[in-house]
Amino acid sequence: MATVRALLDVGIARLRESGSETARLDAELLLAHALDTDRTAILAHTDAPVGDGAAARFQASLDRRAAGEPVAYIRGIKEFHGLAFGIDPRALIPRPETERLVELAELEIVRWLLGAPRPAGSPPVRVIDVGVGSGAVAVTLAVLLRRRGMLDEVTLAATDLSEDALQLARENAVAHAVGDRIAFSTADLLPGSETTRWDVVAANLPYVRSGAMPTLPVATSYEPATALDGGPDGLTVIGRLLDQLPDALAPHGVALLEIGGDQEAALRALVIERLPGWSCEVERDLGGLPRVAILRRDETDAASPAA
Ligand code: GLN
């Protein structure tokens, strides 16, 4: 019987040859998946024998990965902000840089709840994740707010144009015990007929330039193109959301939008054009790239009631 180490060596060589830049990590994750265990367990037992069934499952996974399929779709799982999400081609695989969007949205909500004294009976903070995809943003926010004991003070909604994605997001919400805490609905960006004005809008919308789609890594071609393709300049969908914000955002509301690392200037220009007078800060991700735009109405505009 082959050992863990021998199978890993074969797998790493195979994936390197196929062009994977993360061959070792991929092989470890796929072998752990075949053995129905986690990566640390196999790294701690490299001399352990592997049964024929698991070895065959590992080979089949290697075939799929060598053909370009992302590891997350083969495993059916992806870690995001320390939580495991069920993942399949119904939605985009959550990216680590999107954790920044979640952290900043959490910070806004916490500030909102702690910032001013809230008399009993204050309305909940209304939060919406636009383009929910797998649910990574909305579900993680719900879990983080529950840990802080703040979930009851928030209402969470989430939309997507894709019924498939919404279904996956619902499954992930149920898996993390927040299925009854997020109102999911089908919508093209913000729900149109609603009278609700949102306090916090968070969105990781498609922002890849159409022309750049063919240059993305091959693994990306397994993901839904509608979750990535942001039109000719990459900002078409985000631009449509900006147009919805004046009516949909509460006076002191804030919108947090994930953007591409090279889109800060273009996004700022778009905000000046579509939302004159609004403020726009851009936060960076761990790689130092501009990643989350934070938009607010002009303070004076929002703060003072008409005289
Ligand atoms: N960061 C993603 C990528 O480069 C794009 C995600 C998005 O369009 N929202 O693959």
Side-chain angles (χ1 to χ4, degrees), residues 100 104 257-261 263-265 267-268 271 279-285 289-295:
R100 191 81 186 108
L104 290 164
L257 313 177
E258 183 172 321
I259 58 170
Q263 289 176 326
E264 177 173 356
L267 189 275
R268 285 185 185 277
V271 171
S279 71
C280 172
E281 297 160 66
V282 176
E283 293 284 340
R284 288 168 190 275
D285 63 20
L289 293 174
R291 188 59 65 190
V292 181
I294 305 181
L295 314 184

Side-chain angles (χ1 to χ4, degrees), residues 92 95 97 204-208 216-217 220 223 227-229 258 291:
L92 192 79
R95 313 284 204 257
E97 51 274 24
N204 174 20
L205 295 170
Y207 54 69
V208 177
L216 295 178
T220 309
E223 298 182 282
L228 288 159
D229 190 338
E258 183 172 321
R291 188 59 65 190

Side-chain angles (χ1 to χ4, degrees), residues 14-195:
R14 170 96 194 273
L15 295 182
R16 265 198 196 126
E17 213 172 291
S18 76
S20 169
E21 284 170 11
T22 51
R24 173 173 295 275
L25 176 64
D26 292 1
E28 290 167 357
L29 288 169
L30 294 175
L31 184 56
H33 175 61
L35 285 163
D36 207 13
T37 183
D38 57 36
R39 201 175 135 238
T40 31
I42 62 161
L43 295 181
H45 299 102
T46 49
D47 290 327
V50 177
D52 292 345
R57 283 196 294 280
F58 179 54
Q59 286 301 338
S61 292
L62 289 176
D63 290 343
R64 289 170 68 180
R65 180 70 193 114
E69 191 170 346
V71 171
Y73 286 161
I74 302 171
R75 295 171 71 214
I77 208 163
K78 175 79 184 180
E79 288 78 16
F80 179 83
H81 214 291
L83 300 174
F85 282 85
I87 292 299
D88 61 42
R90 285 179 288 176
L92 192 79
I93 299 165
R95 313 284 204 257
E97 51 274 24
T98 304
E99 294 178 358
R100 191 81 186 108
L101 173 68
V102 174
E103 287 159 8
L104 290 164
E106 182 194 17
L107 196 66
E108 289 294 335
I109 296 164
V110 169
R111 270 200 202 136
W112 202 288
L113 289 171
L114 299 182
R118 285 173 54 82
S122 296
V125 180
R126 290 147 302 181
V127 180
I128 186 163
D129 175 6
V130 179
V132 67
S134 66
V137 171
V139 172
T140 305
L141 262 181
V143 169
L144 293 174
L145 292 168
R146 170 170 281 161
R147 282 183 195 155
R148 289 178 177 270
M150 290 178 168
L151 191 53
D152 289 340
E153 294 178 77
V154 172
T155 59
L156 268 168
T159 65
D160 208 290
L161 198 50
S162 157
E163 295 289 344
D164 278 352
L166 280 168
Q167 193 49 42
L168 178 60
R170 282 193 190 95
E171 290 163 21
N172 278 315
V174 169
H176 288 286
V178 291
D180 57 343
R181 308 308 294 262
I182 303 173
F184 292 99
S185 63
T186 313
D188 185 8
L189 304 175
L190 286 161
S193 58
E194 297 250 357
T195 46

